[in-house]
PDB file of all heavy atoms in Angstrom:
ATOM      1  N   ALA A 175     -40.103  14.039 241.799  1.00 97.00           N
ATOM      2  CA  ALA A 175     -39.133  14.746 242.633  1.00 97.00           C
ATOM      3  C   ALA A 175     -38.186  15.582 241.778  1.00 97.00           C
ATOM      4  O   ALA A 175     -37.828  16.719 242.145  1.00 97.00           O
ATOM      5  CB  ALA A 175     -38.342  13.749 243.471  1.00 97.00           C
ATOM      6  N   LEU A 176     -37.768  15.040 240.621  1.00 96.00           N
ATOM      7  CA  LEU A 176     -36.912  15.799 239.704  1.00 96.00           C
ATOM      8  C   LEU A 176     -37.618  17.060 239.228  1.00 96.00           C
ATOM      9  O   LEU A 176     -37.034  18.157 239.214  1.00 96.00           O
ATOM     10  CB  LEU A 176     -36.540  14.929 238.504  1.00 96.00           C
ATOM     11  CG  LEU A 176     -35.861  15.665 237.337  1.00 96.00           C
ATOM     12  CD1 LEU A 176     -34.478  16.150 237.745  1.00 96.00           C
ATOM     13  CD2 LEU A 176     -35.789  14.777 236.100  1.00 96.00           C
ATOM     14  N   VAL A 177     -38.874  16.928 238.831  1.00 97.00           N
ATOM     15  CA  VAL A 177     -39.638  18.089 238.358  1.00 97.00           C
ATOM     16  C   VAL A 177     -39.751  19.135 239.462  1.00 97.00           C
ATOM     17  O   VAL A 177     -39.623  20.338 239.208  1.00 97.00           O
ATOM     18  CB  VAL A 177     -41.030  17.653 237.866  1.00 97.00           C
ATOM     19  CG1 VAL A 177     -41.855  18.871 237.458  1.00 97.00           C
ATOM     20  CG2 VAL A 177     -40.897  16.691 236.691  1.00 97.00           C
ATOM     21  N   ALA A 178     -39.969  18.686 240.691  1.00 97.00           N
ATOM     22  CA  ALA A 178     -40.069  19.619 241.813  1.00 97.00           C
ATOM     23  C   ALA A 178     -38.761  20.380 242.000  1.00 97.00           C
ATOM     24  O   ALA A 178     -38.766  21.591 242.277  1.00 97.00           O
ATOM     25  CB  ALA A 178     -40.442  18.859 243.088  1.00 97.00           C
ATOM     26  N   ARG A 179     -37.622  19.697 241.845  1.00 97.00           N
ATOM     27  CA  ARG A 179     -36.330  20.380 241.977  1.00 97.00           C
ATOM     28  C   ARG A 179     -36.133  21.397 240.867  1.00 97.00           C
ATOM     29  O   ARG A 179     -35.632  22.507 241.100  1.00 97.00           O
ATOM     30  CB  ARG A 179     -35.185  19.353 241.969  1.00 97.00           C
ATOM     31  CG  ARG A 179     -35.065  18.547 243.253  1.00 97.00           C
ATOM     32  CD  ARG A 179     -33.730  17.817 243.326  1.00 97.00           C
ATOM     33  NE  ARG A 179     -33.600  16.816 242.267  1.00 97.00           N
ATOM     34  CZ  ARG A 179     -34.021  15.567 242.350  1.00 97.00           C
ATOM     35  NH1 ARG A 179     -34.621  15.156 243.457  1.00 97.00           N
ATOM     36  NH2 ARG A 179     -33.839  14.721 241.359  1.00 97.00           N
ATOM     37  N   VAL A 180     -36.488  21.022 239.645  1.00 96.00           N
ATOM     38  CA  VAL A 180     -36.352  21.951 238.514  1.00 96.00           C
ATOM     39  C   VAL A 180     -37.204  23.196 238.750  1.00 96.00           C
ATOM     40  O   VAL A 180     -36.757  24.329 238.531  1.00 96.00           O
ATOM     41  CB  VAL A 180     -36.762  21.262 237.200  1.00 96.00           C
ATOM     42  CG1 VAL A 180     -36.831  22.279 236.058  1.00 96.00           C
ATOM     43  CG2 VAL A 180     -35.784  20.147 236.847  1.00 96.00           C
ATOM     44  N   ALA A 181     -38.437  22.992 239.208  1.00 96.00           N
ATOM     45  CA  ALA A 181     -39.327  24.129 239.466  1.00 96.00           C
ATOM     46  C   ALA A 181     -38.774  25.014 240.576  1.00 96.00           C
ATOM     47  O   ALA A 181     -38.811  26.250 240.479  1.00 96.00           O
ATOM     48  CB  ALA A 181     -40.720  23.614 239.835  1.00 96.00           C
ATOM     49  N   ALA A 182     -38.249  24.401 241.638  1.00 96.00           N
ATOM     50  CA  ALA A 182     -37.702  25.178 242.749  1.00 96.00           C
ATOM     51  C   ALA A 182     -36.471  25.970 242.311  1.00 96.00           C
ATOM     52  O   ALA A 182     -36.320  27.156 242.658  1.00 96.00           O
ATOM     53  CB  ALA A 182     -37.352  24.249 243.904  1.00 96.00           C
ATOM     54  N   GLU A 183     -35.604  25.340 241.531  1.00 95.00           N
ATOM     55  CA  GLU A 183     -34.400  26.030 241.047  1.00 95.00           C
ATOM     56  C   GLU A 183     -34.764  27.197 240.140  1.00 95.00           C
ATOM     57  O   GLU A 183     -34.081  28.233 240.149  1.00 95.00           O
ATOM     58  CB  GLU A 183     -33.498  25.040 240.304  1.00 95.00           C
ATOM     59  CG  GLU A 183     -32.829  24.029 241.213  1.00 95.00           C
ATOM     60  CD  GLU A 183     -32.127  22.933 240.435  1.00 95.00           C
ATOM     61  OE1 GLU A 183     -32.150  23.003 239.174  1.00 95.00           O
ATOM     62  OE2 GLU A 183     -31.557  22.023 241.059  1.00 95.00           O
ATOM     63  N   TYR A 184     -35.823  27.035 239.369  1.00 96.00           N
ATOM     64  CA  TYR A 184     -36.247  28.123 238.488  1.00 96.00           C
ATOM     65  C   TYR A 184     -36.592  29.369 239.302  1.00 96.00           C
ATOM     66  O   TYR A 184     -36.205  30.492 238.949  1.00 96.00           O
ATOM     67  CB  TYR A 184     -37.450  27.684 237.662  1.00 96.00           C
ATOM     68  CG  TYR A 184     -38.006  28.783 236.775  1.00 96.00           C
ATOM     69  CD1 TYR A 184     -37.420  29.071 235.544  1.00 96.00           C
ATOM     70  CD2 TYR A 184     -39.105  29.544 237.170  1.00 96.00           C
ATOM     71  CE1 TYR A 184     -37.907  30.081 234.736  1.00 96.00           C
ATOM     72  CE2 TYR A 184     -39.604  30.551 236.367  1.00 96.00           C
ATOM     73  CZ  TYR A 184     -39.002  30.818 235.157  1.00 96.00           C
ATOM     74  OH  TYR A 184     -39.500  31.832 234.365  1.00 96.00           O
ATOM     75  N   VAL A 185     -37.303  29.191 240.395  1.00 94.00           N
ATOM     76  CA  VAL A 185     -37.696  30.322 241.230  1.00 94.00           C
ATOM     77  C   VAL A 185     -36.498  30.883 241.989  1.00 94.00           C
ATOM     78  O   VAL A 185     -36.294  32.104 242.053  1.00 94.00           O
ATOM     79  CB  VAL A 185     -38.799  29.901 242.221  1.00 94.00           C
ATOM     80  CG1 VAL A 185     -39.103  31.042 243.197  1.00 94.00           C
ATOM     81  CG2 VAL A 185     -40.057  29.499 241.474  1.00 94.00           C
ATOM     82  N   GLU A 186     -35.677  29.995 242.543  1.00 94.00           N
ATOM     83  CA  GLU A 186     -34.566  30.438 243.394  1.00 94.00           C
ATOM     84  C   GLU A 186     -33.479  31.167 242.613  1.00 94.00           C
ATOM     85  O   GLU A 186     -32.816  32.059 243.152  1.00 94.00           O
ATOM     86  CB  GLU A 186     -33.967  29.231 244.114  1.00 94.00           C
ATOM     87  CG  GLU A 186     -34.919  28.619 245.145  1.00 94.00           C
ATOM     88  CD  GLU A 186     -34.456  27.254 245.628  1.00 94.00           C
ATOM     89  OE1 GLU A 186     -33.420  26.758 245.104  1.00 94.00           O
ATOM     90  OE2 GLU A 186     -35.122  26.677 246.506  1.00 94.00           O
ATOM     91  N   HIS A 187     -33.286  30.826 241.344  1.00 89.00           N
ATOM     92  CA  HIS A 187     -32.196  31.417 240.564  1.00 89.00           C
ATOM     93  C   HIS A 187     -32.705  32.159 239.325  1.00 89.00           C
ATOM     94  O   HIS A 187     -31.949  32.366 238.380  1.00 89.00           O
ATOM     95  CB  HIS A 187     -31.215  30.316 240.131  1.00 89.00           C
ATOM     96  CG  HIS A 187     -30.710  29.473 241.258  1.00 89.00           C
ATOM     97  ND1 HIS A 187     -29.918  29.963 242.264  1.00 89.00           N
ATOM     98  CD2 HIS A 187     -30.928  28.157 241.559  1.00 89.00           C
ATOM     99  CE1 HIS A 187     -29.640  29.007 243.127  1.00 89.00           C
ATOM    100  NE2 HIS A 187     -30.243  27.896 242.729  1.00 89.00           N
ATOM    101  N   HIS A 188     -33.958  32.568 239.371  1.00 91.00           N
ATOM    102  CA  HIS A 188     -34.576  33.124 238.165  1.00 91.00           C
ATOM    103  C   HIS A 188     -33.972  34.473 237.774  1.00 91.00           C
ATOM    104  O   HIS A 188     -33.807  35.367 238.596  1.00 91.00           O
ATOM    105  CB  HIS A 188     -36.078  33.301 238.408  1.00 91.00           C
ATOM    106  CG  HIS A 188     -36.817  33.852 237.220  1.00 91.00           C
ATOM    107  ND1 HIS A 188     -36.734  33.296 235.964  1.00 91.00           N
ATOM    108  CD2 HIS A 188     -37.638  34.934 237.097  1.00 91.00           C
ATOM    109  CE1 HIS A 188     -37.476  33.980 235.129  1.00 91.00           C
ATOM    110  NE2 HIS A 188     -38.028  34.987 235.789  1.00 91.00           N
ATOM    111  N   SER A 189     -33.653  34.595 236.490  1.00 91.00           N
ATOM    112  CA  SER A 189     -33.186  35.843 235.893  1.00 91.00           C
ATOM    113  C   SER A 189     -34.155  36.220 234.780  1.00 91.00           C
ATOM    114  O   SER A 189     -34.157  35.594 233.713  1.00 91.00           O
ATOM    115  CB  SER A 189     -31.778  35.676 235.314  1.00 91.00           C
ATOM    116  OG  SER A 189     -31.399  36.815 234.567  1.00 91.00           O
ATOM    117  N   PRO A 190     -35.027  37.216 234.992  1.00 92.00           N
ATOM    118  CA  PRO A 190     -36.080  37.527 234.014  1.00 92.00           C
ATOM    119  C   PRO A 190     -35.565  37.812 232.608  1.00 92.00           C
ATOM    120  O   PRO A 190     -36.268  37.538 231.630  1.00 92.00           O
ATOM    121  CB  PRO A 190     -36.754  38.765 234.618  1.00 92.00           C
ATOM    122  CG  PRO A 190     -36.458  38.693 236.075  1.00 92.00           C
ATOM    123  CD  PRO A 190     -35.092  38.083 236.177  1.00 92.00           C
ATOM    124  N   ASP A 191     -34.353  38.363 232.482  1.00 94.00           N
ATOM    125  CA  ASP A 191     -33.813  38.669 231.159  1.00 94.00           C
ATOM    126  C   ASP A 191     -33.315  37.427 230.428  1.00 94.00           C
ATOM    127  O   ASP A 191     -33.144  37.452 229.208  1.00 94.00           O
ATOM    128  CB  ASP A 191     -32.670  39.675 231.270  1.00 94.00           C
ATOM    129  CG  ASP A 191     -33.161  41.044 231.721  1.00 94.00           C
ATOM    130  OD1 ASP A 191     -34.349  41.341 231.506  1.00 94.00           O
ATOM    131  OD2 ASP A 191     -32.358  41.786 232.316  1.00 94.00           O
ATOM    132  N   HIS A 192     -33.081  36.347 231.164  1.00 95.00           N
ATOM    133  CA  HIS A 192     -32.465  35.169 230.555  1.00 95.00           C
ATOM    134  C   HIS A 192     -33.283  33.891 230.723  1.00 95.00           C
ATOM    135  O   HIS A 192     -32.914  32.851 230.172  1.00 95.00           O
ATOM    136  CB  HIS A 192     -31.063  34.947 231.143  1.00 95.00           C
ATOM    137  CG  HIS A 192     -30.141  36.090 230.920  1.00 95.00           C
ATOM    138  ND1 HIS A 192     -29.953  37.112 231.836  1.00 95.00           N
ATOM    139  CD2 HIS A 192     -29.353  36.419 229.851  1.00 95.00           C
ATOM    140  CE1 HIS A 192     -29.099  37.988 231.367  1.00 95.00           C
ATOM    141  NE2 HIS A 192     -28.711  37.597 230.168  1.00 95.00           N
ATOM    142  N   GLU A 193     -34.381  33.949 231.469  1.00 97.00           N
ATOM    143  CA  GLU A 193     -35.193  32.763 231.710  1.00 97.00           C
ATOM    144  C   GLU A 193     -36.673  33.128 231.684  1.00 97.00           C
ATOM    145  O   GLU A 193     -37.058  34.243 232.064  1.00 97.00           O
ATOM    146  CB  GLU A 193     -34.844  32.126 233.059  1.00 97.00           C
ATOM    147  CG  GLU A 193     -33.412  31.641 233.149  1.00 97.00           C
ATOM    148  CD  GLU A 193     -33.110  30.974 234.479  1.00 97.00           C
ATOM    149  OE1 GLU A 193     -33.657  31.423 235.506  1.00 97.00           O
ATOM    150  OE2 GLU A 193     -32.320  30.012 234.485  1.00 97.00           O
ATOM    151  N   ALA A 194     -37.488  32.188 231.235  1.00 97.00           N
ATOM    152  CA  ALA A 194     -38.936  32.425 231.182  1.00 97.00           C
ATOM    153  C   ALA A 194     -39.658  31.086 231.187  1.00 97.00           C
ATOM    154  O   ALA A 194     -39.060  30.035 230.927  1.00 97.00           O
ATOM    155  CB  ALA A 194     -39.318  33.226 229.933  1.00 97.00           C
ATOM    156  N   ALA A 195     -40.945  31.137 231.498  1.00 98.00           N
ATOM    157  CA  ALA A 195     -41.777  29.933 231.492  1.00 98.00           C
ATOM    158  C   ALA A 195     -43.177  30.324 231.059  1.00 98.00           C
ATOM    159  O   ALA A 195     -43.613  31.468 231.257  1.00 98.00           O
ATOM    160  CB  ALA A 195     -41.792  29.277 232.870  1.00 98.00           C
ATOM    161  N   TRP A 196     -43.884  29.366 230.457  1.00 98.00           N
ATOM    162  CA  TRP A 196     -45.220  29.632 229.948  1.00 98.00           C
ATOM    163  C   TRP A 196     -46.163  28.499 230.334  1.00 98.00           C
ATOM    164  O   TRP A 196     -45.768  27.341 230.424  1.00 98.00           O
ATOM    165  CB  TRP A 196     -45.208  29.753 228.416  1.00 98.00           C
ATOM    166  CG  TRP A 196     -44.382  30.884 227.913  1.00 98.00           C
ATOM    167  CD1 TRP A 196     -44.783  32.151 227.601  1.00 98.00           C
ATOM    168  CD2 TRP A 196     -42.973  30.859 227.651  1.00 98.00           C
ATOM    169  NE1 TRP A 196     -43.732  32.909 227.173  1.00 98.00           N
ATOM    170  CE2 TRP A 196     -42.596  32.145 227.194  1.00 98.00           C
ATOM    171  CE3 TRP A 196     -41.998  29.868 227.761  1.00 98.00           C
ATOM    172  CZ2 TRP A 196     -41.297  32.455 226.849  1.00 98.00           C
ATOM    173  CZ3 TRP A 196     -40.688  30.174 227.432  1.00 98.00           C
ATOM    174  CH2 TRP A 196     -40.351  31.469 226.971  1.00 98.00           C
ATOM    175  N   ILE A 197     -47.411  28.884 230.519  1.00 97.00           N
ATOM    176  CA  ILE A 197     -48.493  27.934 230.732  1.00 97.00           C
ATOM    177  C   ILE A 197     -49.469  28.095 229.571  1.00 97.00           C
ATOM    178  O   ILE A 197     -49.820  29.216 229.192  1.00 97.00           O
ATOM    179  CB  ILE A 197     -49.235  28.213 232.060  1.00 97.00           C
ATOM    180  CG1 ILE A 197     -48.290  27.996 233.244  1.00 97.00           C
ATOM    181  CG2 ILE A 197     -50.475  27.330 232.190  1.00 97.00           C
ATOM    182  CD1 ILE A 197     -47.860  26.561 233.457  1.00 97.00           C
ATOM    183  N   ALA A 198     -49.892  26.966 229.001  1.00 96.00           N
ATOM    184  CA  ALA A 198     -50.942  26.981 227.977  1.00 96.00           C
ATOM    185  C   ALA A 198     -52.280  26.738 228.658  1.00 96.00           C
ATOM    186  O   ALA A 198     -52.389  25.902 229.560  1.00 96.00           O
ATOM    187  CB  ALA A 198     -50.686  25.899 226.934  1.00 96.00           C
ATOM    188  N   GLU A 199     -53.296  27.499 228.245  1.00 93.00           N
ATOM    189  CA  GLU A 199     -54.625  27.375 228.819  1.00 93.00           C
ATOM    190  C   GLU A 199     -55.660  27.108 227.737  1.00 93.00           C
ATOM    191  O   GLU A 199     -55.594  27.683 226.645  1.00 93.00           O
ATOM    192  CB  GLU A 199     -55.039  28.658 229.554  1.00 93.00           C
ATOM    193  CG  GLU A 199     -54.371  28.879 230.885  1.00 93.00           C
ATOM    194  CD  GLU A 199     -54.958  30.077 231.616  1.00 93.00           C
ATOM    195  OE1 GLU A 199     -55.712  30.859 230.973  1.00 93.00           O
ATOM    196  OE2 GLU A 199     -54.684  30.255 232.816  1.00 93.00           O
ATOM    197  N   VAL A 200     -56.636  26.270 228.052  1.00 90.00           N
ATOM    198  CA  VAL A 200     -57.831  26.074 227.246  1.00 90.00           C
ATOM    199  C   VAL A 200     -59.029  26.289 228.169  1.00 90.00           C
ATOM    200  O   VAL A 200     -59.094  25.677 229.236  1.00 90.00           O
ATOM    201  CB  VAL A 200     -57.891  24.665 226.620  1.00 90.00           C
ATOM    202  CG1 VAL A 200     -59.247  24.431 225.955  1.00 90.00           C
ATOM    203  CG2 VAL A 200     -56.775  24.471 225.613  1.00 90.00           C
ATOM    204  N   ASP A 201     -59.934  27.176 227.781  1.00 84.00           N
ATOM    205  CA  ASP A 201     -61.087  27.498 228.615  1.00 84.00           C
ATOM    206  C   ASP A 201     -60.663  27.950 230.010  1.00 84.00           C
ATOM    207  O   ASP A 201     -61.316  27.659 231.011  1.00 84.00           O
ATOM    208  CB  ASP A 201     -62.029  26.294 228.745  1.00 84.00           C
ATOM    209  CG  ASP A 201     -62.680  25.915 227.432  1.00 84.00           C
ATOM    210  OD1 ASP A 201     -62.880  26.809 226.597  1.00 84.00           O
ATOM    211  OD2 ASP A 201     -62.979  24.730 227.237  1.00 84.00           O
ATOM    212  N   GLY A 202     -59.524  28.653 230.084  1.00 83.00           N
ATOM    213  CA  GLY A 202     -59.067  29.157 231.370  1.00 83.00           C
ATOM    214  C   GLY A 202     -58.397  28.131 232.251  1.00 83.00           C
ATOM    215  O   GLY A 202     -57.977  28.451 233.368  1.00 83.00           O
ATOM    216  N   GLU A 203     -58.273  26.889 231.782  1.00 87.00           N
ATOM    217  CA  GLU A 203     -57.653  25.824 232.570  1.00 87.00           C
ATOM    218  C   GLU A 203     -56.261  25.524 232.028  1.00 87.00           C
ATOM    219  O   GLU A 203     -56.066  25.411 230.821  1.00 87.00           O
ATOM    220  CB  GLU A 203     -58.497  24.547 232.509  1.00 87.00           C
ATOM    221  CG  GLU A 203     -59.840  24.654 233.205  1.00 87.00           C
ATOM    222  CD  GLU A 203     -59.702  24.709 234.710  1.00 87.00           C
ATOM    223  OE1 GLU A 203     -58.706  24.167 235.244  1.00 87.00           O
ATOM    224  OE2 GLU A 203     -60.585  25.302 235.358  1.00 87.00           O
TER     225      GLU A 203
END
Side-chain angles (χ1 to χ4, degrees):
L176 169 68
V177 176
R179 286 194 296 273
V180 171
E183 289 171 2
Y184 177 81
V185 174
E186 292 167 357
H187 307 294
H188 181 53
S189 171
D191 292 336
H192 300 94
E193 298 182 325
W196 298 266
I197 296 293
E199 285 187 348
V200 172
D201 294 331
E203 292 289 333

